[in-house]
Amino acid sequence: MDFLPVFLNIQGKTVLVDGGGTVAARRVESALKAGANVIVFDPRLGEEFSPLLGHANLTHQKRLPQESDFEGIIIAYGASEEAARDKFLAQTAREKNILVNVADVFEYCDFITPSVVDRSPLVVAISSSGTAPVIARIMRARIESLIPATYGRLAEFLGGFRQAVANKISSSANRRHFWERVIDGPVGDLFLAGDQKNAEQRLISSLDTASDNGQDSKASTGEVYLVGAGPGDPDLLTFRALRLMQRADVVLYDRLVSNDILTLVRRDAERINVGKRPKNHTMDQGDISQLLADLALQGKRVLRLKGGDPFVFGRGGEEIEKLGQHNIPFQVVPGITASIGAASYAGIPLTHRDHAQSCVFITAHGKDGILDLDWETLLRPSQTVAIYMGLSNLEQLAKEFVAHGADPDVPAALVENATCASQQVVIGTVKTLYDEATKANVTGPSIIIIGDVVKLHPQLKWITPTQKDTHAMSLQAQKRL
Ligand code: SAH
C-alpha cells in the first residue's frame, strides 16, 4: 500500500483552492461539505461556482494566491491547470508543511483525492494510488449500485442504539456479532424497506432477549426471501434481490431461473432444485411450501428464487401463506415479469398511443387442455394480450381466438427465452403463429403477444448477434401493416 487512507477532520479549518474551473469547484464543494472554511483564488470563476458562491464559509479572492495566503491553511488544492501556478502552490505549501494536492500532477500530490460513495454518515473512498483514476471511478459506480441509497440513514438509525447495546453486551466481539445479525438481518431489511417503526421494535426486542454473550435466545427461527429473479438476463435483477441472494444459507430454485443468475447466489449456499426431482417428477407446490417452512424453522435463511415476478403466475402467494401459519418472517422482492422483459427486448411496446390503450396478462395453461378464458374481456379493441404458458396449446389457443371473433390477421409474436442470449422472436399473425413457431422449433419458455403493437417490432427491435428473429408474416398481414 503506497498511501495511508485517512478521513480528515477539517471542520472549522481553512482550505485554499487555486483555480476557477470545474475541478476547483468540485474541491471547494467537498471541502465545504466537510465543514471547512474555503478560500478560492482566481480572477474569474466559472459557471460551476454559481451554486456555491452564497455559501457562508466560502471566500472568493479575485487574484492569484501569494505566500502570505498560506498562513493557517490545512490543505492547499491546485486546480488552475497552469504549470507556473501549480508549481508555486506546491512549493509554497510544502515549505510550510501544508498538505498539497494538484489535480493531475502526481509529483505535486501529498495525498490523493479518492472517488467517493457518499451515504453520509457512511462514506466509501476509493483510490487506485494514482495509477488509474478511471478504474477507481468505475469501481465507485459499482459500489454505488451495491449500497442501498438509505444505507447512510441506517447507520444513523443504529447509531442511536450504540450505547444501549454497549451497556447490555460487554464483550466487543459479541457486540460485533450482535450488530452483524442486526444489520444483515431483519432489522436492516425492515429499515431499508422503509419500515423504521418495525425495525426499531425488532431491534429493541432482540436486545431485550440478547444475553451478555450477544446471542439472541429467541432467534432460532430463520427467514424466507421470496425473490423475483426476472426473466433471465442477470442484469435485470434488483439490488435487493442481489443482496438477499448473497446472504442465503439455502436456495430453492426451479427451471425458469437461469444459470447465469444462480452463479450470483452465495457460493456456499446449499442449492435445491425444486423443479426436478428423481425420475423427473416436479415437486408438488404443497411440498415446496412445506420445505420452505421446515428450513426456516431450522434457523436458516432461505432464498426462494422464482423466475420473473413471484406474484405473477408464480404461486408466491401460496408459499407465503404457509410461512404465515408458522410465524416465519419473510419478505417478497418483485422481479421483472417475463412479458415485460420480452416486450422490451423484442421491441414490442405493450401499450402505444396509436395501437393499444390496455394490456392484459393471461395464462393459457388450461387444465386438461380446456381453455377457460374470458373472451369478452380478451377481445377488446386496442388491447394487447400477453399470454404466459401458452406454447403447449398455441394451436388450440389461436383457433379459439378466431372462433371467438378475433381477426385471424391480427399480428402476433412469440418470444422464446426472453432477455437471454438465446432469445428468439417469431412474428406472424394469430392464424400463422403456431406454424411459424413449429418451423422455428420453439421449445423453451415463451411469451405470446397478440395485438397491433406487434407491428412496431421491425422498427423497434434490438437484437444481439446470437438472437434469432424470424419474420414470418403472411403477405396479407404485411399488407395490413
Ligand atoms: N412468475 C413468472 C411466470 C411464471 S409462469 C413471471 O413473472 O414471469 C411460467 C411462464 O412464464 C412460462 O411458461 C412462460 O410463458 C413465461 N416465461 C418465463 N420466463 C420466460 C422467458 N425468459 N421468456 C419467455 N417466457 C417466459
Side-chain angles (χ1 to χ4, degrees):
M1 194 160 74
D2 295 335
F3 290 81
L4 174 73
V6 288
F7 286 87
L8 216 55
N9 181 354
I10 56 169
Q11 303 233 1
K13 309 250 169 73
T14 307
V15 169
L16 182 155
V17 178
D18 181 28
T22 307
V23 179
R26 293 285 87 78
R27 302 286 186 261
V28 168
E29 194 178 18
S30 40
L32 287 173
K33 256 196 194 167
N37 298 314
V38 181
I39 312 175
V40 59
F41 290 86
D42 201 80
R44 267 196 29 234
L45 297 180
E47 258 304 295
E48 299 240 19
F49 273 87
S50 35
L52 301 169
L53 279 177
H55 200 292
N57 296 341
L58 177 64
T59 314
H60 176 209
Q61 298 286 359
K62 286 188 187 163
R63 58 176 176 84
L64 304 190
Q66 299 158 4
E67 199 177 328
S68 58
D69 295 319
F70 287 76
E71 291 310 319
I73 297 294
I74 183 162
I75 296 173
Y77 282 113
S80 64
E81 295 180 64
E82 289 175 29
R85 273 169 84 170
D86 287 346
K87 190 170 174 192
F88 170 76
L89 179 111
Q91 278 175 353
T92 319
R94 280 184 173 154
E95 273 162 26
K96 297 175 188 294
N97 279 328
I98 295 167
L99 286 172
V100 63
N101 172 289
V102 176
D104 293 331
V105 189
F106 196 62
E107 61 194 285
Y108 293 154
C109 284
D110 294 338
F111 66 93
I112 282 170
T113 47
S115 288
V116 169
V117 179
D118 187 0
R119 301 282 191 278
S120 286
L122 193 80
V123 176
V124 183
I126 307 143
S127 152
S128 64
S129 304
T131 54
V134 176
I135 290 195
R137 252 171 262 148
I138 291 172
M139 230 167 107
R140 187 199 114 180
R142 298 212 174 138
I143 296 175
E144 284 273 9
S145 69
L146 284 177
I147 306 179
T150 42
Y151 226 59
R153 290 211 298 110
L154 176 65
E156 221 161 34
F157 163 72
L158 296 177
F161 295 90
R162 236 178 120 175
Q163 196 55 50
V165 173
N167 293 345
K168 176 93 191 211
I169 306 169
S170 49
S171 128
S172 65
N174 290 338
R175 269 202 305 274
R176 184 163 51 80
H177 290 147
F178 176 83
W179 281 124
E180 277 169 5
R181 277 203 317 279
V182 161
I183 294 164
D184 212 9
V187 174
D189 287 339
L190 284 165
F191 187 89
L192 294 175
D195 190 352
Q196 178 164 350
K197 203 166 133 238
N198 276 317
E200 188 164 341
Q201 269 173 10
R202 186 112 189 194
L203 175 54
I204 291 168
S205 92
S206 6
L207 190 57
D208 280 349
T209 52
S211 51
D212 183 55
N213 64 15
Q215 292 298 322
D216 183 341
S217 47
K218 279 198 203 152
S220 52
T221 305
E223 52 192 328
V224 174
Y225 317 130
L226 186 58
V227 172
D233 183 348
D235 241 23
L236 297 177
L237 284 169
T238 60
F239 295 150
R240 188 175 297 172
L242 196 59
R243 200 164 69 239
L244 297 177
M245 285 162 71
Q246 291 286 326
R247 194 193 288 171
D249 298 314
V250 49
V251 50
L252 276 66
Y253 66 99
D254 41 49
R255 86 191 161 86
L256 280 179
V257 175
S258 71
N259 262 338
D260 290 349
I261 285 178
L262 271 180
T263 57
L264 298 173
V265 174
R266 195 162 68 99
R267 217 169 275 272
D268 43 2
E270 183 191 347
R271 293 176 181 199
I272 304 177
N273 182 348
V274 295
K276 267 204 199 105
R277 293 178 81 203
K279 292 192 219 136
N280 264 349
H281 280 308
T282 15
M283 207 162 159
D284 175 70
Q285 185 59 52
D287 294 344
I288 298 176
S289 307
Q290 190 59 51
L291 184 59
L292 285 175
D294 291 346
L295 289 165
L297 290 170
Q298 290 164 21
K300 298 200 167 130
R301 296 164 166 190
V302 189
L303 172 72
R304 174 68 173 115
L305 205 52
K306 287 184 154 300
D309 181 273
F311 282 177
V312 178
F313 306 125
R315 307 190 70 173
E318 291 158 60
E319 293 179 5
I320 54 179
E321 235 171 77
K322 186 87 187 172
L323 302 176
Q325 289 163 11
H326 292 278
N327 274 333
I328 296 167
F330 63 84
Q331 51 178 307
V332 182
V333 181
I336 293 183
T337 188
S339 57
I340 301 280
S344 298
Y345 279 52
I348 301 172
L350 293 177
T351 67
H352 187 283
R353 218 167 48 142
D354 301 332
H355 305 288
Q357 272 68 51
S358 62
C359 173
V360 288
F361 295 177
I362 62 161
T363 168
H365 188 69
K367 258 192 185 159
D368 309 321
I370 299 159
L371 289 175
D372 186 16
L373 298 172
D374 177 359
W375 293 104
E376 204 180 314
T377 314
L378 283 188
L379 296 179
R380 291 219 176 106
S382 300
Q383 174 165 275
T384 307
V385 182
I387 305 170
Y388 290 71
M389 293 176 264
L391 182 62
S392 57
N393 46 16
L394 177 56
E395 189 177 20
Q396 185 197 356
L397 194 67
K399 279 187 186 144
E400 295 215 17
F401 258 81
V402 176
H404 286 87
D407 178 348
D409 292 327
V410 166
L414 180 148
V415 188
E416 181 195 22
N417 294 326
T419 78
C420 303
S422 54
Q423 170 173 304
Q424 175 169 214
V425 182
V426 179
I427 300 284
T429 62
V430 169
K431 195 169 69 190
T432 66
L433 193 65
Y434 171 71
D435 287 341
E436 300 304 344
T438 312
K439 267 190 243 158
N441 201 17
V442 175
T443 51
S446 302
I447 286 289
I448 296 153
I449 301 174
I450 297 178
D452 277 350
V453 285
V454 172
K455 293 179 194 177
L456 298 162
H457 163 79
Q459 301 151 42
L460 303 182
K461 69 179 174 177
W462 169 83
I463 50 170
T464 65
T466 52
Q467 291 171 355
K468 283 192 255 168
D469 183 50
T470 313
H471 279 274
M473 271 187 226
S474 69
L475 264 181
Q476 207 179 356
Q478 283 183 12
K479 259 189 251 145
R480 260 175 59 105
L481 305 184

